[in-house]
């Protein structure tokens, strides 16, 4: 157990990102609480009818985790962009997989804690709102959806940081990983559907490349449209949970393989540098 997880590193990780974690907690908890408070102060439905609080209405500002999760990862693993910090953490007696799992556990602890506290506060407030009924299913689907969203976004950033060595390259490669497969799949499918009348994206398994099946955008649309369809699609969650697990494993492998000399370099070698350039231009060439 000591070879794959360190309680001391875990506690250090919790302290290391506490500033970003507290900021995340304040923003998400306060914004989520504002919605039921607004319903309470406005008098609710005044007993005229009963409104069911679905997953699209319960704690909707959890979608901000798509921004906070990468930020937490960047703060935690910022030493990868500094030669001294990289040398120090790579020289620890713990194996690299131990450092990775301990620090990622600290990040997910902050995220899970914020979601749980926000859900508890919203549950109490919605119970006080006249004319609104909160179902347990809405709470569970919200927690599941936003936890998967946070894990996916965190792992995209983690993967980008392990294959780059500067803050700018971290962000650029993060967006490249985040959008490359989606953009290539979308351009190909819709281009193919234009020249093939019998092919329809929505009626095929390749719908996973459609924008509606894109987790961050899908949840964001459902939240602002007031439609909980994405939260009720179990295959939607299974697919993205699988993506998150794969990203978690790949990021762990690249972190363990990363050389300390990669710090302060936009790419670890010329091959990867050329690969990033191709990745940026290739989707546009498909158009």
């Amino acid at each position: 157990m000591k070879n794959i997880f360190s309680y001391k590193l875990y506690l250090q990780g919790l302290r290391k990102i506490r500033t970003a974690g507290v900021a995340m907690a304040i923003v998400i908890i306060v914004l989520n609480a504002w919605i039921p408070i607004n319903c309470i102060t406005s008098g609710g439905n005044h007993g005229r009818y009963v409104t069911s609080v679905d997953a699209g209405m319960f704690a909707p500002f959890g979608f901000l985790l798509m921004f906070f999760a990468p930020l937490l990862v960047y703060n935690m693993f910022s030493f990868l962009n500094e030669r001294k910090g990289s040398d120090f953490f790579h020289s620890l007696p713990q194996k690299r997989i131990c450092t990775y799992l301990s620090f990622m556990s600290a990040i997910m602890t902050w995220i899970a804690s914020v979601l749980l506290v926000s859900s508890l506060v919203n549950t109490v407030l919605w119970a006080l709102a006249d004319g609104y009924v909160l179902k347990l299913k809405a709470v569970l689907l919200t927690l599941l959806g936003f936890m998967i969203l946070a894990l996916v976004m965190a792992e995209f950033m983690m993967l980008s940081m392990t294959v780059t060595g500067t803050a700018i390259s971290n962000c650029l490669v993060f967006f490249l990983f985040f959008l490359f497969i989606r953009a290539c799949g979308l351009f190909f499918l819709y281009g193919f559907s234009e020249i093939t009348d019998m092919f329809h994206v929505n009626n095929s398994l390749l719908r996973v490349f459609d924008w509606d099946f894109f987790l961050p955008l899908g949840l964001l649309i459902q939240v602002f449209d007031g439609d909980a369809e994405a939260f009720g699609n179990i295959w939607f969650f299974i697919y993205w949970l699988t993506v998150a697990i794969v990203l978690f494993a790949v990021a762990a492998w690249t972190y363990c393989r990363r050389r300390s000399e990669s710090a302060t370099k936009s790419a670890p070698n010329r091959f990867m540098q050329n690969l990033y350039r191709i990745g940026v231009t290739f989707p546009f060439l498909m158009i």
Side-chain angles (χ1 to χ4, degrees), residues 9 12 87-96 99 103:
L9 285 177
Q12 180 184 353
D87 290 341
F88 171 76
F89 279 95
H90 288 344
S91 64
L92 293 177
Q94 291 86 356
K95 293 184 177 181
R96 291 193 186 182
T99 305
F103 282 171

Side-chain angles (χ1 to χ4, degrees), residues 175-176 179-196 199 201 206-211 278-287:
F175 285 109
L176 175 62
L179 298 173
F180 177 75
I181 296 179
R182 183 68 40 182
C184 289
L186 189 68
F187 292 157
F188 172 77
L189 289 178
Y190 279 92
F192 189 69
S193 63
E194 285 293 324
I195 62 176
T196 309
F199 177 79
V201 176
L206 295 177
R207 183 174 176 266
V208 296
F209 292 109
D210 199 0
W211 283 118
I278 294 172
V280 172
T281 57
F282 183 74
F284 296 98
L285 295 177
M286 294 185 65
I287 300 177

Side-chain angles (χ1 to χ4, degrees), residues 28-287:
I28 292 179
I29 293 174
V30 170
L31 288 178
N32 278 334
W34 172 78
I35 296 176
I37 289 176
N38 183 56
C39 294
I40 293 174
T41 55
S42 63
N45 291 329
H46 304 287
R48 291 174 295 181
Y49 54 88
V50 176
T51 301
S52 178
V53 180
D54 57 27
M57 294 175 58
F58 181 78
F61 285 97
F63 80 87
L64 291 175
L65 287 171
M66 67 183 296
F67 306 107
F68 280 111
L71 177 63
L72 292 178
V73 171
Y74 180 82
N75 285 344
M76 181 71 81
F77 292 93
S78 58
F79 61 85
L80 293 175
N81 296 334
E82 305 169 0
R83 183 59 188 272
K84 291 183 179 179
S86 182
D87 290 341
F88 171 76
F89 279 95
H90 288 344
S91 64
L92 293 177
Q94 291 86 356
K95 293 184 177 181
R96 291 193 186 182
I97 188 63
C98 177
T99 305
Y100 173 80
L101 293 177
S102 301
F103 282 171
M104 287 303 301
S105 297
I107 292 172
M108 298 313 296
T109 297
W110 268 105
I111 292 172
S113 299
V114 170
L115 281 178
L116 288 173
V117 172
S118 182
S119 297
L120 179 61
V121 171
N122 272 45
T123 299
V124 173
L125 292 175
W126 278 119
L128 298 175
D130 184 31
Y132 291 90
V133 176
L134 177 62
K135 296 182 179 180
L136 178 61
K137 180 180 178 181
V139 178
L140 296 179
L141 287 177
T142 298
L143 290 174
L144 178 62
F146 290 138
M147 277 299 296
I148 295 176
L149 172 65
L151 182 57
V152 168
M153 300 300 291
E155 291 305 325
F156 270 125
M157 176 55 79
M158 185 68 227
L159 182 59
S160 68
M161 294 190 71
T162 58
V163 296
T164 56
T166 65
I168 295 177
S169 60
N170 291 163
C171 296
L172 293 178
V173 175
F174 166 74
F175 285 109
L176 175 62
F177 288 159
F178 184 54
L179 298 173
F180 177 75
I181 296 179
R182 183 68 40 182
C184 289
L186 189 68
F187 292 157
F188 172 77
L189 289 178
Y190 279 92
F192 189 69
S193 63
E194 285 293 324
I195 62 176
T196 309
D197 295 335
M198 296 179 63
F199 177 79
H200 298 284
V201 176
N202 293 332
N203 297 329
S204 70
L205 293 176
L206 295 177
R207 183 174 176 266
V208 296
F209 292 109
D210 199 0
W211 283 118
D212 291 340
F213 216 81
F214 190 38
L215 180 65
L217 185 61
L219 292 185
L220 193 62
I221 292 175
Q222 304 305 321
V223 166
F224 283 100
D225 282 353
D227 185 2
E229 179 182 355
F231 288 93
N233 189 344
I234 187 62
W235 296 111
F236 180 76
F237 283 153
I238 291 176
Y239 170 78
W240 281 103
L241 180 59
T242 303
V243 172
I245 294 173
V246 172
L247 287 173
F248 186 89
V250 173
W253 183 80
T254 54
Y255 178 79
C256 294
R257 298 276 297 179
R258 189 182 192 275
R259 300 177 62 182
S260 184
E261 293 81 3
S262 298
T264 71
K265 297 180 180 179
S266 59
N269 51 61
R270 188 172 295 275
F271 171 78
M272 294 299 294
Q273 190 176 48
N274 292 330
L275 193 63
Y276 300 153
R277 292 171 179 171
I278 294 172
V280 172
T281 57
F282 183 74
F284 296 98
L285 295 177
M286 294 185 65
I287 300 177

